[in-house]
Amino acid sequence: MIAYMNSTLRATAANPLLKEPQSIRPRTTRARAPKKEGDISSVFVSLSGAAPTPLADRFAAIKRQLITGHEDAIRASWQRLLERLIVENAEIAQQGPGIIPQIDFSNLSNPSQDFLQAVKKRGVAVVRGVVPESEARGYKTLVDEYIKTNPGTKGMLVLITNPAVFELYWSPSQVRARAHPNLISAQRFLMNLWHSDNEEALISTSQPLSYADRVRIRQPGDSDFALGPHIDGGSLERWEPEGYGLGSVYDKIWQGEWENYNPWEPTSRVSAVSDLYNGGGACSMFRMFQGWLSMSSTGPKEGTLLVNPLLQLSTAYLLLRPFFAPIKQLDTSNSSESMTEYLRGDNWTLQTGKEITSDLQGANPGQAQELSQVLHPHLDLARTMVHIPQIKAGDYVVWHCDTIHAVDKIHEGKSDSSVLYIPVCPVTETNAEYLARQRDAFLSGLPGPDFPGGKGESEHIGRPTIDYLSKHAQKEGMQAMGLESLSTTGREDTFGGKIAIERANAILAL
C-alpha cells in the first residue's frame, strides 16, 4: 500500500527535529474556498476582457508606508536604475535569444561558472535533453489520445474551436513527466541555485515537490493565446504588508538599495503570501522557477516563450514604478524625440505625501501582474522581450518566479508548439499543505487547489491512478506527489531544512 494511506502523524516528542528553534515562530494557515470554474483566461485582465479595477484608497496608504523615511534614497536609486537599464536593454536587444543561458542535462553535475553567473543575472535557463527526445514526443502522442478519448476536455473558453491551453492536470503524460528521474534531478539542481545564510530557515531544497499545472498545444496560425508580458505569483501582493511584505522580500528595494536586493535568497519567501485574493490560477505554492518541458521542436516566433532576461533590474523597476510620475507627458505627434525626453530621469518625479495615488500599474486583485510598453516604458519591452532559443522535445525551459515572460502573439511556425508546464518547488510547510490538498485532487481527478474548479477530469477515461503512477515512477517521483514520505537522511540539508521535511511528512500524514 502507498505509505500515506497507512501512516499516522509522528509525535513531536518522539522526534527532536520537530521542536522549535527559538528564532522560529509557529505558522498559521488560512482556510481556502474552492475556486470558481473557469480557465486560464480568468488569470489575465487582458484575456478575460474585463476592465482593470480601480484600486482602493488603502493602496495609497500602503505605498506611503513603504517609502516613508527613504524618499531621498529612493530618488537616487531610481536615477541609478534608469541609467543602468539604458545599458542593459541595449545589450539584450543586441544579443537576442543568444543571451539565454543553456546547459546540457549531462553537464548539470559540473556546470561552468559562466553558466551559473548568467542564470543568476538573467533569471532564465534552458536545460537540454532532460528527457530523451523520443520519450518527450511520446508524451505528446499520449496527450492527444487522452483528449481524443475524452472529447469533453475543457480548453480555454475564448478558443472554442481550437484551444491552445487545456484544463488538464492528470493526463498520463503529465504524471509521468513530473515523476521522471531526470526531471527531478534537474529540479534539484535548479533549487540549489537559491541560497540562504539562515541555517534555521524552514525550507529544504534537497527534493522537489510536484505542482500540477496545465498542458499547452498551440497550433500554427494561432493568435488568440497571445499572453503579453506578465509575472505570475500574485500582483498586488508584492506591495502588500500581508503579502510578500510578511517576508520582507523586497525591503532593500523600498530602502533605495536595489543593488543589494538578492532575488535568489529563499528565506524571505517562506512566509510570504502570493495569493491574498484566491484568484483563479493565482499561485499559492512557492515556485522557485516556473517552467515547461517541451514535447515538440519550436523556434522563435513559432508560438513559444519570450522573457525579459534582466531579473534584478526588472523587479526593482516594476516595484518602484508606481511611486514615480512623468513631469512632461509623451507627445505622440513627435514620437522619437518626445520619447527620449519622456524617458529622461529628470522628467520623472517621486510622488510623496498626498501626491501618492493608489495606482499599481498592471496589478489587479487575484490576477497576474501584467506589464506593457505604456505602463512600464523604461523596460523597453518591445526590444527586451526576447525569444528563447530553438527548443527540441525533451528540453526543459525554466524562469525565476519574478521573471517577466510572454508568448508569441502569433504562432508563425508549421507544426504545433506543445509543452507540459512543470515548475520547481522546494519543501516548505506551505508547499506541503498545498501538496496534501493537491494529492486529494489527484485521487478525485479534480483540478489542483490553485486552479479554476469544476469536475475536471473526474469522469475522464484513462485517467491515471496511484497504481499507474507507481508503475511509471521511482521513489522520488512518488515522494514528490506526496504518496511516500520525504527522505530525512542521506541528503545534505540545513537544520531548518530537516525540520521542514519532518513537518511536511507530518502534514502529509506520512
Side-chain angles (χ1 to χ4, degrees):
M1 297 262 318
I2 298 302
Y4 91 93
M5 302 177 84
N6 290 327
S7 61
T8 57
L9 297 178
R10 294 175 173 85
T12 299
N15 193 329
L17 288 177
L18 291 177
K19 295 181 179 179
E20 297 280 356
Q22 292 183 354
S23 64
I24 299 172
R25 296 180 180 178
R27 65 185 304 283
T28 57
T29 60
R30 298 181 299 129
R32 287 279 177 177
K35 298 193 177 183
K36 296 179 180 179
E37 188 169 359
D39 60 72
I40 195 172
S41 65
S42 60
V43 186
F44 301 92
V45 169
S46 58
L47 286 183
S48 67
T53 303
L55 299 179
D57 291 342
R58 70 181 182 88
F59 286 99
I62 288 173
K63 289 168 62 177
R64 195 173 296 114
Q65 183 179 11
L66 284 172
I67 67 169
T68 296
H70 303 291
E71 291 88 347
D72 289 342
I74 289 174
R75 285 189 188 93
S77 76
W78 175 256
Q79 296 302 320
R80 297 194 306 272
L81 179 61
L82 298 191
E83 292 170 2
R84 181 80 173 275
L85 280 170
I86 292 172
V87 175
E88 297 288 351
N89 288 348
E91 181 181 1
I92 293 169
Q94 190 276 324
Q95 291 196 35
I99 207 167
I100 306 300
Q102 305 176 53
I103 189 171
D104 289 337
F105 173 74
S106 60
N107 292 331
L108 289 184
S109 60
N110 187 31
S112 70
Q113 286 302 308
D114 287 346
F115 171 79
L116 296 175
Q117 291 172 7
V119 174
K120 292 291 185 73
K121 181 175 182 177
R122 301 303 170 194
V124 59
V126 176
V127 185
R128 300 286 188 185
V130 172
V131 173
E133 186 173 358
S134 60
E135 187 172 356
R137 289 189 179 278
Y139 291 159
K140 172 61 167 47
T141 300
L142 284 175
V143 169
D144 287 340
E145 292 173 351
Y146 189 63
I147 294 171
K148 184 177 181 180
T149 303
N150 298 282
T153 296
K154 191 173 183 179
M156 185 173 163
L157 291 182
V158 298
L159 307 173
I160 300 297
T161 58
N162 198 18
V165 177
F166 292 88
E167 295 298 311
L168 291 177
Y169 306 90
W170 309 118
S171 71
S173 298
Q174 289 166 292
V175 299
R176 287 167 65 167
R178 293 174 197 137
H180 197 289
N182 288 4
L183 187 85
I184 290 175
S185 179
Q187 290 174 322
R188 184 179 298 112
F189 167 84
L190 292 162
M191 288 192 298
N192 282 285
L193 293 175
W194 293 65
H195 176 73
S196 173
D197 291 327
N198 183 357
E199 293 288 315
E200 293 186 345
L202 294 176
I203 181 170
S204 171
T205 57
S206 66
Q207 48 204 306
L209 301 182
S210 284
Y211 183 84
D213 207 331
R214 299 177 173 95
V215 176
R216 185 190 81 208
I217 304 176
R218 196 176 184 193
Q219 300 295 338
D222 174 69
S223 60
D224 290 314
F225 185 61
L227 294 182
H230 68 279
I231 307 170
D232 297 299
S235 56
L236 300 175
E237 290 87 349
R238 286 183 167 81
W239 290 269
E240 295 201 63
E242 297 301 313
Y244 285 79
L246 286 175
S248 302
V249 176
Y250 304 117
D251 275 11
K252 288 297 182 183
I253 296 174
W254 310 133
Q255 294 164 7
E257 302 176 19
W258 60 261
E259 296 94 336
N260 294 323
Y261 161 65
N262 180 8
W264 302 96
E265 199 293 307
T267 305
S268 60
R269 296 180 187 253
V270 172
S271 57
V273 176
S274 59
D275 182 16
L276 288 173
Y277 299 93
N278 201 30
C283 184
S284 57
M285 200 167 180
F286 173 24
R287 299 180 292 182
M288 288 179 153
F289 290 88
Q290 292 176 250
W292 47 248
L293 181 73
S294 183
M295 299 185 292
S296 61
S297 293
T298 309
K301 297 186 179 182
E302 295 179 351
T304 192
L305 181 75
L306 298 91
V307 295
N308 176 273
L310 202 56
L311 176 59
Q312 184 194 52
L313 273 67
S314 64
T315 302
Y317 182 84
L318 168 71
L319 296 176
L320 291 176
R321 169 66 181 89
F323 298 91
F324 288 85
I327 298 170
K328 183 180 180 181
Q329 297 297 325
L330 182 64
D331 181 4
T332 56
S333 65
N334 187 4
S335 58
S336 178
E337 182 178 342
S338 178
M339 178 61 76
T340 300
E341 294 298 316
Y342 178 69
L343 295 177
R344 285 171 56 98
D346 57 11
N347 187 49
W348 292 76
T349 182
L350 177 69
Q351 296 179 314
T352 60
K354 293 183 179 180
E355 297 174 335
I356 294 179
T357 70
S358 61
D359 291 344
L360 293 170
Q361 287 81 2
N364 292 279
Q367 295 179 306
Q369 171 69 50
E370 299 195 65
L371 299 93
S372 71
Q373 191 80 10
V374 172
L375 296 178
H376 306 91
H378 296 92
L379 292 179
D380 199 5
L381 296 172
R383 293 198 307 152
T384 63
M385 293 299 296
V386 299
H387 287 96
I388 57 170
Q390 183 78 32
I391 295 297
K392 292 183 178 180
D395 291 344
Y396 189 35
V397 178
V398 295
W399 56 99
H400 184 284
C401 52
D402 283 347
T403 293
I404 303 169
H405 56 288
V407 297
D408 277 320
K409 290 184 178 180
I410 302 175
H411 180 351
E412 299 180 8
K414 297 181 179 179
S415 60
D416 63 81
S417 174
S418 301
V419 305
L420 303 173
Y421 291 107
I422 306 177
V424 180
C425 305
V427 178
T428 69
E429 288 184 84
T430 299
N431 283 4
E433 288 166 356
Y434 183 92
L435 184 63
R437 299 193 301 274
Q438 181 182 267
R439 182 179 61 192
D440 292 341
F442 166 65
L443 296 175
S444 302
L446 301 176
D450 272 345
F451 295 89
K455 66 181 181 179
E457 296 158 72
S458 60
E459 299 174 0
H460 274 40
I461 298 169
R463 174 170 57 84
T465 62
I466 289 179
D467 286 341
Y468 179 92
L469 181 59
S470 65
K471 293 176 182 178
H472 293 279
Q474 298 177 12
K475 182 183 177 77
E476 288 184 333
M478 301 298 284
Q479 290 172 326
M481 277 287 290
L483 297 171
E484 290 193 19
S485 61
L486 301 172
S487 300
T488 56
T489 59
R491 296 197 183 281
E492 293 184 5
D493 226 326
T494 61
F495 180 69
K498 292 175 182 177
I499 295 175
I501 290 173
E502 290 292 339
R503 291 186 178 180
N505 282 333
I507 289 166
L508 293 163
L510 295 169

